[in-house]
Amino acid sequence: MRNPVIILNTLSKHSNIPNYKFERLYRILFNEEMFFVAYQRIYSKQGNMTSGTDGKTVDNMNISRVQKLIDTLKDESYKPHPAKRVYIPKKDGKMRPLGIPSFDDKLVQEVVRMILEAIYEGYFENTSHGFRPTRSCHTALSSIQKGFTGTKWFIEGDIKGFFDNIDHNVLIAILSERISDEKFLRLIRKFLNAGYFEQWKYYKTYSGTPQGGIISPILANIYLDKFDKDMAEYISMFDKGKRRRCNPAYNKPCNKRNNLKRKLKGETEPSKIKELKEEIDALKKEMFSISWGLAMDEQFKRMRYVRYADDFLIGVIGSKADCEQIKADITQYMSAKLKLELSAEKTLITNAKTPAKFLGFEIHVPVSNSTKRNENDYAVRSFTKNVVLSVPSDAIFKKLQHYDAVKIDTHDGTNKWVAKERGYMIGKTAEDILCQFNLEIVGFYNYYSIANNIAKAGGTFGYIMEYSLYKTLAQKLNSSIRKINCKYRKNKVFSIPYTDKNGMAQRRVLYNGGFKRKTFCASDSKVDKIPNTILTPRPRLVERLLMRRCELCESEAELTMHHVRTLKNLQMDSPWEQNMLKRNRKTLAVCPECYRKIISYGK
């Protein structure tokens, strides 16, 4: 049986060859080792303890379960179960549909996902950042900050109901361009057509990929890679000129200053030297108030593009008419080639001086004549035309509102943010409340740490959260903010003492690391430092199953893996819970007899 690393790297070697056709992929699904790796990758996610429409979860996982799954794939009798549809709230208040597949289907999807990732990762464009290894929102934003310098206009792109409107036939046709294996393509179509249950009623799926499905993100990237490649071609035709023409209004004081500099070199009289230097300084200030290049140069145009999932941002150096044409061309391409629709209310053309919104940030390109000294001690306009990333004030308020940590206090006609207690948390211990606040503060900071205004925004967020913590603890302990600070603040550090599970005295400290801006230091995405190399996790769970020794009673038998959602809900009143807590593991490889005892316990 071939090693999954060898299989995936063999596929990956041909990933960046545009016209290469991949064959005999379906037989990879007969490899048990691929399923062992898939199991190791996904087992720890809490959602796996939620049953699908087949009533099964990750619990009771064993080798025979994998073998039975492979047998159904071999004779093509495998049929994915319909997903269980639930709804989760979106930021705009609407509800997003989420499909929960059965765990067996998740295993198959993860193996398919690994195969597709090996085939396509080297083929995708560098402008794509969503759902890809080593890429994130930060890599997308960093590429905008580095590549969109001098942008005049932004086009904010949003595809209407993208995941629900992916055309199955178009997707299969796109996959067929690189995959020549009908069985493998039929399997993907089975997932697309599996349907879903909502309130115990079955619905067929005629379009879209199941949101929540493991293969949905990579299928979405494969679908929109067509758009990425079309945009790369569009940009190559749109870009015009090598450099912007010089502004005649700038040339006049520049030439005069250069003449005075030459005259200064031959001047010996002190009064004349002083007079010439003053004239040169005056001309220099005049130059800093004028743009070096022509603001609207029809002979110089540039276009840049970045996509994250179904959101994209285009930067244009050109006219608004150019942007209108670009938007019309994109709309036409989406409709004709991908059968998708751009959201009219969310696809906006914005002047770069006005902030555009992308991935929760506001992005604009200021025009500033402010100067600073460079490494050669020359005054340069280093602030103008550079991209600025900002945390929107409404993002701060919405996040605080989401945590129920803020309220609006209206006084004398002005609105003021005021921290409020979070009453729903008072049932927790004081140290756990502090821990939760720390996680939320650090989470906010980590995401927005690359913003230019993070010091101010983070300070505001941290201040409200800090006082919300004080008020929450005061409500819990029937005390006041002043008394809470007197009790827990020492040497300007707010911390809560507690005893850990080993009986050791500990202190939990309120986050006090500040909100300094971080520079994102991702390596150049165009450089593959370890070409064609895919690493897979070692399947330690399966190794424990293959040991054939029960971790509870130590008898020899065919083992099954018992899973729990979290350790914190376990008690010490049963041998298996004591065992799991002692090992600090959410899994336990047990014999059938012990497993029966576990599942019957408490019934």
Side-chain angles (χ1 to χ4, degrees):
M1 195 174 293
R2 292 181 70 196
N3 188 311
V5 174
I6 295 173
I7 294 171
L8 296 175
N9 280 310
T10 301
L11 296 175
S12 180
K13 286 178 183 177
H14 303 95
S15 178
N16 55 5
I17 303 174
N19 298 319
Y20 188 84
K21 282 269 192 176
F22 292 87
E23 301 175 346
R24 305 176 73 184
L25 297 176
Y26 193 74
R27 65 175 185 170
I28 298 174
L29 296 161
F30 307 156
N31 189 322
E32 282 186 4
E33 296 288 337
M34 292 292 293
F35 283 86
F36 297 160
V37 170
Y39 177 40
Q40 187 69 40
R41 279 181 181 269
I42 68 174
Y43 84 94
S44 62
K45 297 178 181 177
Q46 289 190 13
N48 292 326
M49 289 301 294
T50 301
S51 61
T53 52
D54 62 348
K56 296 179 181 178
T57 67
V58 65
D59 195 32
N60 196 23
M61 190 66 196
N62 49 55
I63 303 298
S64 63
R65 189 169 166 181
V66 171
Q67 291 170 340
K68 289 176 183 176
L69 200 53
I70 291 174
D71 288 341
T72 61
L73 287 164
K74 284 181 178 179
D75 61 14
E76 289 196 83
S77 63
Y78 169 75
K79 186 178 179 181
H81 295 85
K84 182 194 291 184
R85 174 158 287 192
V86 296
Y87 289 86
I88 58 174
K90 296 168 67 174
K91 290 181 179 179
D92 58 5
K94 297 179 181 178
M95 301 300 286
R96 183 191 303 278
L98 186 68
I100 302 175
S102 70
F103 184 74
D104 287 355
D105 293 338
K106 288 180 182 179
L107 269 181
V108 180
Q109 284 192 31
E110 176 61 18
V111 175
V112 172
R113 189 204 63 78
M114 289 191 292
I115 294 169
L116 289 175
E117 184 179 286
I119 290 171
Y120 280 96
E121 182 55 34
Y123 181 70
F124 287 148
E125 295 292 313
N126 286 307
T127 49
S128 167
H129 293 264
F131 314 122
R132 292 183 62 186
T134 71
R135 295 185 182 229
S136 64
C137 295
H138 282 186
T139 61
L141 292 161
S142 178
S143 67
I144 289 170
Q145 197 156 41
K146 292 175 183 176
F148 281 45
T149 303
T151 292
K152 293 290 184 183
W153 301 92
F154 288 123
I155 303 175
E156 306 170 50
D158 183 89
I159 302 168
K160 195 172 183 178
F162 170 64
F163 285 95
D164 291 330
N165 293 312
I166 289 176
D167 187 277
H168 293 174
N169 293 327
V170 173
L171 176 58
I172 296 298
I174 292 171
L175 288 164
S176 300
E177 293 176 5
R178 288 180 65 78
I179 297 173
S180 182
D181 186 332
E182 287 302 318
K183 287 185 177 181
F184 190 79
L185 294 175
R186 276 201 298 271
L187 176 62
I188 292 176
R189 193 179 277 276
K190 283 182 181 180
F191 283 117
L192 296 174
N193 296 334
Y196 62 92
F197 271 103
E198 184 176 354
Q199 296 182 345
W200 305 105
K201 186 177 179 180
Y202 174 74
Y203 295 87
K204 292 182 178 180
T205 46
Y206 299 100
S207 64
T209 60
Q211 294 194 39
I214 288 175
I215 59 170
S216 293
I218 193 162
L219 289 178
N221 270 340
I222 292 168
Y223 200 85
L224 285 180
D225 183 63
K226 277 285 184 185
F227 178 57
D228 296 339
K229 286 178 167 49
D230 181 76
M231 287 301 296
E233 186 178 342
Y234 194 104
I235 289 169
S236 67
M237 293 187 294
F238 179 86
D239 286 359
K240 183 179 180 182
K242 291 185 177 181
R243 59 182 294 181
R244 196 187 298 271
R245 285 182 296 168
C246 190
N247 185 358
Y250 181 88
N251 276 343
K252 186 176 180 180
C254 181
N255 292 335
K256 189 174 181 181
R257 185 199 63 169
N258 292 338
N259 289 333
L260 291 175
K261 278 186 173 183
R262 286 191 290 269
K263 189 175 181 181
L264 179 64
K265 288 181 180 179
E267 187 60 61
T268 57
E269 188 178 336
S271 59
K272 276 286 186 182
I273 291 174
K274 182 181 179 182
E275 184 181 338
L276 287 171
K277 284 184 176 180
E278 288 175 352
E279 286 187 58
I280 290 170
D281 288 341
L283 288 169
K284 195 173 183 180
K285 286 181 181 179
E286 183 182 349
M287 289 164 58
F288 279 137
S289 67
I290 304 170
S291 174
W292 174 87
L294 283 174
M296 295 300 297
D297 185 356
E298 287 296 325
Q299 297 180 22
F300 180 83
K301 293 182 181 181
R302 288 291 183 271
M303 180 176 167
R304 295 293 178 263
Y305 160 81
V306 166
R307 179 178 66 83
Y308 187 94
D310 57 337
D311 294 325
F312 60 88
L313 187 70
I314 297 171
V316 178
I317 298 177
S319 65
K320 188 173 182 179
D322 290 329
C323 297
E324 297 283 2
Q325 185 61 52
I326 291 167
K327 181 180 176 180
D329 291 342
I330 290 173
T331 303
Q332 171 64 22
Y333 176 87
M334 286 282 186
S335 176
K337 300 293 184 181
L338 300 179
K339 297 186 178 180
L340 295 171
E341 182 184 352
L342 284 183
S343 174
E345 64 272 15
K346 293 182 180 179
T347 303
L348 308 172
I349 296 173
T350 311
N351 189 293
K353 296 177 184 177
T354 305
K357 292 187 176 180
F358 187 65
L359 299 179
F361 284 72
E362 286 186 344
I363 304 171
H364 73 286
V365 181
V367 176
S368 171
N369 293 325
S370 300
T371 62
K372 75 171 186 177
R373 297 281 173 179
N374 63 11
E375 62 272 13
N376 297 319
D377 201 34
Y378 289 116
V380 293
R381 287 180 287 187
S382 59
F383 303 101
T384 190
K385 298 183 181 179
N386 289 332
V387 175
V388 173
L389 304 177
S390 302
V391 185
S393 59
D394 63 335
I396 303 172
F397 182 74
K398 284 179 181 178
K399 182 61 71 174
L400 291 168
Q401 203 173 36
H402 174 72
Y403 294 142
D404 197 25
V406 70
K407 62 182 178 181
I408 296 290
D409 184 21
T410 304
H411 184 70
D412 294 335
T414 59
N415 294 333
K416 183 180 178 183
W417 297 2
V418 179
K420 61 175 288 192
E421 66 283 352
R422 297 164 70 177
Y424 63 90
M425 297 182 72
I426 61 174
K428 297 182 177 183
T429 62
E431 65 270 17
D432 284 347
I433 292 174
L434 175 54
C435 179
Q436 184 64 33
F437 272 87
N438 277 345
L439 288 173
E440 291 161 356
I441 294 169
V442 173
F444 178 88
Y445 175 45
N446 284 343
Y447 185 73
Y448 287 109
S449 59
I450 62 173
N452 294 75
N453 69 333
I454 184 58
K456 181 179 179 181
T460 300
F461 183 83
Y463 176 82
I464 296 291
M465 289 292 279
E466 181 181 351
Y467 274 84
S468 176
L469 170 65
Y470 299 157
K471 290 184 176 182
T472 303
L473 291 174
Q475 186 184 58
K476 175 181 174 61
L477 302 174
N478 195 22
S479 184
S480 65
I481 292 177
R482 187 182 65 81
K483 289 179 181 179
I484 289 294
N485 267 284
C486 289
K487 182 177 180 180
Y488 293 122
R489 187 175 295 279
K490 294 182 179 180
N491 299 323
K492 298 184 179 181
V493 175
F494 187 91
S495 63
I496 296 176
Y498 70 101
T499 304
D500 65 17
K501 61 183 179 181
N502 297 319
M504 302 293 290
Q506 305 285 355
R507 294 193 78 88
R508 192 155 283 162
V509 179
L510 175 64
Y511 176 76
N512 58 1
F515 298 94
K516 184 179 179 181
R517 183 173 181 245
K518 297 179 183 177
T519 304
F520 187 73
C521 297
S523 58
D524 190 344
S525 60
K526 296 183 180 180
V527 179
D528 192 4
K529 300 208 179 270
I530 311 176
N532 304 316
T533 301
I534 294 176
L535 302 176
T536 60
R538 185 179 174 185
R540 297 183 183 276
L541 291 182
V542 175
E543 288 178 0
R544 289 162 60 194
L545 291 173
L546 293 174
M547 288 287 289
R548 294 176 56 84
R549 181 172 293 277
C550 178
E551 294 176 349
L552 194 58
C553 70
E554 297 190 353
S555 63
E556 289 193 10
E558 293 286 342
L559 302 182
T560 191
M561 193 66 71
H562 172 56
H563 292 254
V564 296
R565 190 181 294 272
T566 59
L567 288 175
K568 68 180 181 180
N569 295 328
L570 296 182
Q571 306 296 324
M572 295 289 287
D573 57 354
S574 64
W576 48 89
E577 290 181 335
Q578 292 172 14
N579 192 309
M580 296 175 87
L581 288 168
K582 183 178 179 180
R583 294 168 180 259
N584 196 32
R585 283 178 175 169
K586 295 193 294 182
T587 58
L588 196 65
V590 295
C591 64
E593 181 62 30
C594 287
Y595 183 74
R596 279 192 293 272
K597 290 179 182 179
I598 291 171
I599 60 174
S600 63
Y601 178 77
K603 288 186 178 180

